[in-house]
Amino acid sequence: MTAARTFGPVRIVGTGLLGTSLGLALRARGVEVILANRSPAALRLAIDYGAGRAATDADAPALVVVATSPDSTAERVAAELAAHPEALVTDVASVKGGILRELIAVGADVARYLGSHPMAGRERGGAMAARADLFDGRPWVLAPHDATDPAQVRALEDLALDVGAVPVVMDPEDHDRGVALISHAPQLVASLLAARLTDGQTRAVGLAGQGLRDTTRIAASDPELWVQILSANAAPVAEVLSALRDDLDAALAALRDPEAPGALATIAGVLDAGNRGVARIPGKHGRDERYASLVVRIDDRPGELARLLTEIGEEGVNMEDLRLEHSPGAQVGYAEIAVLPERSHELATALEARGWTLVEGR
Amino acid sequence: MTAARTFGPVRIVGTGLLGTSLGLALRARGVEVILANRSPAALRLAIDYGAGRAATDADAPALVVVATSPDSTAERVAAELAAHPEALVTDVASVKGGILRELIAVGADVARYLGSHPMAGRERGGAMAARADLFDGRPWVLAPHDATDPAQVRALEDLALDVGAVPVVMDPEDHDRGVALISHAPQLVASLLAARLTDGQTRAVGLAGQGLRDTTRIAASDPELWVQILSANAAPVAEVLSALRDDLDAALAALRDPEAPGALATIAGVLDAGNRGVARIPGKHGRDERYASLVVRIDDRPGELARLLTEIGEEGVNMEDLRLEHSPGAQVGYAEIAVLPERSHELATALEARGWTLVEGR
């Protein structure tokens, strides 16, 4: 293991999921971690897990990370700036602009504040849910402002890299607009769509396929958490949703009079824009244009999928992505496998030779 | 193989994906299949694939299945009713009410027409994409009307069962409202959401996670096909979307003034309704409340996932569902496994003993 880049000690205020996970990850790199929490029991638990040690009056942290609830973050950051006049102070809240504005409003020393947002999380919160690998491969956004010194950005980049995250530098307002677009608005849209299912006949909902399941999956998220996030980033989320609402109104008008001139063109325009939008999403997913998709029929019993993946491995083909599609009411399922296009025909032939049934693009 | 239930010969009009797949599935059960297509080349291709034989003047089909494009279905059904006065005639179009109304309007003998909708399809169309197992485990909706004889419903149930589908009897209007809710409206909503991404900064879209990928996946569907489907079922789709629009307007008002009394309750109400709606979706999916979810860290290289699934099999635990979550920019991924709750703790312990890193609920 290479030496840690982070210059400690690092003081972590708030020992919930993110604070405790950060402590665990930094301790694993040998960085000195000081933990603080208003609840002695919660603090003791994080210390028991090995996320760091309790604070002392003699502490002189080089970096303070505020990982309290979004509502209390700005107040806590201001207190830490005052208490540790030598330290760089950051936070991990998922919305950045409002905190900076609050700090400026209360006259805090924002020259030593650099907000950040590690884009990692879990359904469950608290120290008990903490993992040293929580930040593995996740983007960690750094949001510098006018008073930020480049050395401060480098210091937080080192912190992100030490815990396995991918540092991304963004203006606070760009960050908030960005997460509104890729996370906050989609959450509300998925909830709005899933909410419609509460009206539907049970037998109609029973016809649902994989498309509906994927489209509404995140609607199962925790409402309490999301009310906090959405209200903290209300304006950018409203901006995305009001543009969506305008498109929806145009589509609705077309659907109410599909014979009208231009109606079908309006609907086609929405569908085409959807094609272009989804093509911009990076990373691995079934429809990723960089990959070819093979769909293999598998019996819905233990071992079959493992056997398939083992045989794909034996063919020396790297599986870029995998999605299971289930057939309601049947004892069969389909595994959708994404592979490099130049290997796809060869793999299809090999799998069929091994007795698998291929149903490409089902 | 048990004997086919279907009483043939079955005449299939239209040899695209559905018509040819049905022919292949019925031939595999030994049922006599007669194929018809206005394009001699397309007909010849389907015959070459083994989906059936060419029509002759001597044919007396017991059942006619019209599998032409949605736009031409009603006209074709009327022609088949006139040409085969002894036959039961059905179709496979994804919208049912409008076709029945058209047939009544032109004075067709609807006492011999029973519309249906096999809920199977693929991105690619045409005879070349046909598969004998296309209908495996998929719902096949039968839409009887006032003039329908119960024996006709039994005949189509036999057809569906012979090709591996799950027959579901629904009133035509209920069917159209049902597919508007669970398929047509979600398609348009996914497209509307993905369309927003065309505005976003590339760097912001680069922060996208699995949630956005799932929510927008079906937005990659073929616009040309979906314009036909959406315009054929315009009124029911508009009904779902206008209810969604009303909820969206309420959420927008709350987001524009989150300090207003009741604003947070409005947002929480949408999120809670989303929780209740998604819980109504049957079948296997990651958030299925019947299952416990384990998330296992896997190195992003060939063989690792196969090894994990093999070891789960060795532990004698049946995996109810599997989803891969990728970590953008990192060489690690996470496999989310759904298992019966009573086996989940045992499996987690066993996997950790085998050296796997568990990140439950990540």
Side-chain angles (χ1 to χ4, degrees):
Chain A
M1 180 178 73
T2 58
R5 301 156 160 266
T6 302
F7 182 72
V10 176
R11 170 177 161 88
I12 300 173
V13 181
T15 54
L17 170 66
L18 289 174
T20 305
S21 295
L22 180 60
L24 290 172
L26 288 173
R27 292 298 303 127
R29 300 303 308 274
V31 177
E32 180 180 4
V33 176
I34 303 159
L35 300 174
N37 195 310
R38 285 177 176 170
S39 153
L43 175 61
R44 185 54 206 263
L45 181 61
I47 293 170
D48 287 349
Y49 278 124
R53 64 165 174 84
T56 71
D57 296 345
D59 294 331
L63 173 64
V64 177
V65 180
V66 173
T68 58
S69 67
D71 323 49
S72 61
T73 298
E75 175 195 356
R76 197 66 224 155
V77 167
E80 294 294 319
L81 285 166
H84 303 283
E86 305 302 315
L88 170 64
V89 179
T90 188
D91 71 299
V92 299
S94 58
V95 183
K96 302 264 64 86
I99 292 168
L100 181 61
R101 285 190 294 273
E102 277 189 64
L103 291 171
I104 291 167
V106 299
D109 180 11
V110 292
R112 288 186 294 114
Y113 167 72
L114 171 51
S116 76
H117 176 207
M119 302 191 68
R122 300 176 55 184
E123 279 72 8
R124 297 189 299 132
M128 289 174 62
R131 301 277 173 167
D133 64 1
L134 186 71
F135 307 100
D136 262 10
R138 298 302 179 103
W140 189 318
V141 176
L142 315 181
H145 50 86
D146 300 346
T148 302
D149 180 326
Q152 298 172 330
V153 176
R154 285 194 298 275
L156 285 196
E157 284 175 339
D158 289 341
L159 178 76
L161 292 168
D162 275 344
V163 299
V166 180
V168 178
V169 177
M170 293 182 83
D171 168 85
E173 308 301 332
D174 287 345
H175 165 273
D176 292 353
R177 278 193 298 271
V179 291
L181 179 68
I182 61 118
S183 171
H184 303 173
Q187 174 63 55
L188 204 45
V189 168
S191 297
L192 287 163
L193 180 60
R196 291 293 95 231
L197 301 175
T198 59
D199 300 345
Q201 283 191 348
T202 302
R203 295 183 59 248
V205 177
L207 299 175
Q210 196 60 37
L212 183 68
R213 286 199 280 273
D214 285 351
T215 311
T216 58
R217 182 177 63 83
I218 58 174
S221 303
D222 173 18
E224 199 172 332
L225 168 68
W226 276 96
V227 167
Q228 287 184 39
I229 294 171
L230 292 168
S231 55
N233 202 27
V237 174
E239 196 179 319
V240 175
L241 291 180
S242 100
L244 186 149
R245 199 270 309 271
D246 294 344
D247 293 348
L248 174 56
D249 282 336
L252 263 174
L255 288 167
R256 283 174 177 145
D257 185 7
E259 306 304 321
L264 297 191
T266 299
I267 297 170
V270 171
L271 295 163
D272 178 64
N275 278 184
R276 288 183 280 108
V278 79
R280 293 190 68 199
I281 302 176
K284 296 177 170 183
H285 46 96
R287 295 285 169 278
D288 191 320
E289 293 177 348
R290 294 172 304 167
Y291 302 119
S293 169
L294 296 180
V295 179
V296 184
R297 176 179 167 162
I298 49 171
D299 289 342
D300 190 8
R301 61 169 190 253
E304 278 301 280
L305 186 59
R307 185 167 68 86
L308 171 65
L309 301 190
T310 301
E311 296 187 11
I312 290 171
E314 288 167 2
E315 296 297 331
V317 176
N318 192 5
M319 184 176 65
E320 302 295 338
D321 197 3
L322 169 72
R323 177 181 296 109
L324 285 188
E325 180 189 324
H326 295 283
S327 303
Q331 284 310 305
V332 299
Y334 296 86
E336 178 173 6
I337 297 153
V339 297
L340 291 173
E342 57 268 32
R343 305 299 303 279
S344 128
H345 178 69
E346 162 198 356
L347 179 61
T349 308
L351 289 178
E352 289 188 321
R354 287 170 176 267
W356 295 99
T357 303
L358 265 67
V359 193
E360 287 169 65
R362 180 187 179 101
Chain B
M1 184 177 74
T2 58
R5 300 155 159 269
T6 302
F7 182 73
V10 176
R11 170 176 161 89
I12 299 173
V13 181
T15 55
L17 170 66
L18 289 173
T20 306
S21 294
L22 181 59
L24 291 171
L26 288 173
R27 292 296 304 125
R29 300 302 308 273
V31 177
E32 180 181 5
V33 175
I34 303 159
L35 300 174
N37 196 309
R38 285 177 174 168
S39 153
L43 175 61
R44 184 52 205 262
L45 181 61
I47 292 169
D48 286 350
Y49 278 123
R53 64 165 175 85
T56 71
D57 297 345
D59 295 330
L63 173 63
V64 177
V65 180
V66 173
T68 58
S69 67
D71 322 46
S72 62
T73 299
E75 176 194 356
R76 197 66 223 155
V77 167
E80 295 294 320
L81 284 167
H84 303 283
E86 306 301 317
L88 170 64
V89 179
T90 189
D91 71 301
V92 298
S94 57
V95 183
K96 302 263 65 87
I99 291 168
L100 181 62
R101 284 190 295 272
E102 277 188 64
L103 291 172
I104 291 168
V106 298
D109 179 10
V110 291
R112 288 187 293 112
Y113 167 72
L114 171 52
S116 75
H117 176 207
M119 301 191 68
R122 300 178 54 185
E123 280 73 8
R124 297 189 299 133
M128 288 175 63
R131 301 274 175 168
D133 64 0
L134 186 71
F135 306 100
D136 261 12
R138 298 302 180 101
W140 189 318
V141 176
L142 315 181
H145 51 86
D146 301 345
T148 302
D149 180 324
Q152 298 172 329
V153 176
R154 285 194 297 276
L156 285 195
E157 285 173 338
D158 288 341
L159 177 76
L161 292 167
D162 275 342
V163 298
V166 180
V168 178
V169 177
M170 293 181 81
D171 167 85
E173 307 302 332
D174 286 346
H175 165 273
D176 291 353
R177 277 192 299 272
V179 291
L181 179 68
I182 60 117
S183 171
H184 303 172
Q187 175 63 53
L188 202 47
V189 168
S191 297
L192 287 163
L193 181 60
R196 292 291 98 232
L197 301 175
T198 58
D199 299 345
Q201 285 192 347
T202 302
R203 295 181 60 247
V205 177
L207 299 176
Q210 195 60 38
L212 182 67
R213 287 199 279 271
D214 285 351
T215 311
T216 57
R217 182 177 63 83
I218 58 174
S221 304
D222 173 19
E224 200 172 329
L225 168 68
W226 276 96
V227 167
Q228 288 183 38
I229 295 172
L230 292 168
S231 54
N233 202 25
V237 174
E239 197 178 318
V240 175
L241 291 180
S242 97
L244 187 149
R245 199 271 307 273
D246 294 343
D247 293 349
L248 174 56
D249 281 336
L252 262 174
L255 287 167
R256 285 173 175 144
D257 185 7
E259 307 304 322
L264 297 191
T266 300
I267 297 170
V270 171
L271 295 163
D272 177 63
N275 278 185
R276 287 183 282 110
V278 79
R280 292 190 69 200
I281 303 176
K284 298 177 173 185
H285 44 95
R287 294 286 169 277
D288 191 319
E289 294 176 348
R290 295 171 304 167
Y291 303 117
S293 171
L294 297 179
V295 179
V296 183
R297 177 181 164 160
I298 49 172
D299 290 342
D300 190 6
R301 60 169 190 250
E304 278 301 280
L305 186 59
R307 184 166 69 87
L308 171 64
L309 301 190
T310 301
E311 295 187 12
I312 290 171
E314 287 168 3
E315 294 298 331
V317 176
N318 191 4
M319 186 176 63
E320 303 295 339
D321 198 3
L322 169 72
R323 177 179 293 108
L324 286 188
E325 180 188 326
H326 295 283
S327 303
Q331 284 310 304
V332 299
Y334 296 86
E336 178 174 5
I337 297 154
V339 296
L340 292 173
E342 58 269 29
R343 304 302 303 278
S344 119
H345 178 70
E346 162 198 356
L347 179 61
T349 309
L351 290 177
E352 289 188 322
R354 287 170 177 265
W356 295 98
T357 303
L358 265 67
V359 195
E360 289 169 64
R362 180 191 178 102

